[in-house]
Amino acid sequence: MATDPRNPSDSYLAFWREKHVCTLTTPRPDGTPHVVAVGVTYDPEGGYARVIANRHSRKIANVLAAGEEGARVAVCQVDRARWATLEGVARIRTEPEAVEDAVARYAERYGRTPAPNPDRVVIEVALTRAMGRA
């Protein structure tokens, strides 16, 4: 079921606030999908989903390979029959304040602060679509 990513239902938003492992799908340079397990935070007010990652990871390389226009990506989480997907355009953020904000959001959702990592960056997804059954 489609939903407005900036104005989700209460149950959809509640599902995204639960602690779940998610997937991130990015396009490889040859167009094939690359799917990995990640932690995701959802910011409907800002219209973003965020994933913290190491700047040397394949997912970062995939987003960067898409160029300045960004990469079309999807994040998804599943819990039995409940599921939710957020789609949008990803760009890499490296500014220290953007990384700190993303780490704080991750810590709030997942109940733990990740170890410091000087190579940490943020995949920031400007949301264009949301769907699911939550």
Side-chain angles (χ1 to χ4, degrees):
M1 322 259 176
T3 189
D4 179 351
R6 293 191 69 127
N7 189 25
S9 68
D10 291 341
S11 63
Y12 192 85
L13 185 56
F15 184 46
W16 274 104
R17 290 189 172 146
E18 294 174 13
K19 186 166 48 170
H20 293 287
V21 173
C22 303
T23 61
L24 168 69
T25 303
T26 58
R28 291 184 180 103
D30 68 2
T32 60
H34 176 256
V35 184
V36 293
V38 294
V40 175
T41 60
Y42 175 31
D43 171 14
E45 295 83 18
Y48 294 102
R50 293 177 181 87
V51 175
I52 56 176
N54 187 299
R55 75 176 64 245
H56 304 292
S57 68
R58 167 58 28 205
K59 57 188 163 284
I60 299 300
N62 289 344
V63 173
L64 291 173
E68 289 183 23
E69 295 177 15
R72 302 278 317 159
V73 305
V75 294
C76 182
Q77 67 179 19
V78 177
D79 179 41
R80 297 182 186 158
R82 297 184 307 154
W83 63 275
T85 299
L86 299 168
E87 297 178 11
V89 178
R91 291 183 176 80
I92 305 305
R93 302 283 307 271
T94 60
E95 307 88 348
E97 54 279 353
V99 174
E100 290 171 19
D101 178 63
V103 167
R105 291 171 187 273
Y106 178 97
E108 182 179 337
R109 179 172 188 203
Y110 290 99
R112 69 174 194 83
T113 301
N117 179 353
D119 289 326
R120 182 171 288 129
V121 296
V122 179
I123 300 171
E124 188 174 76
V125 183
L127 300 174
T128 57
R129 183 180 305 176
M131 61 190 114
R133 183 175 307 175

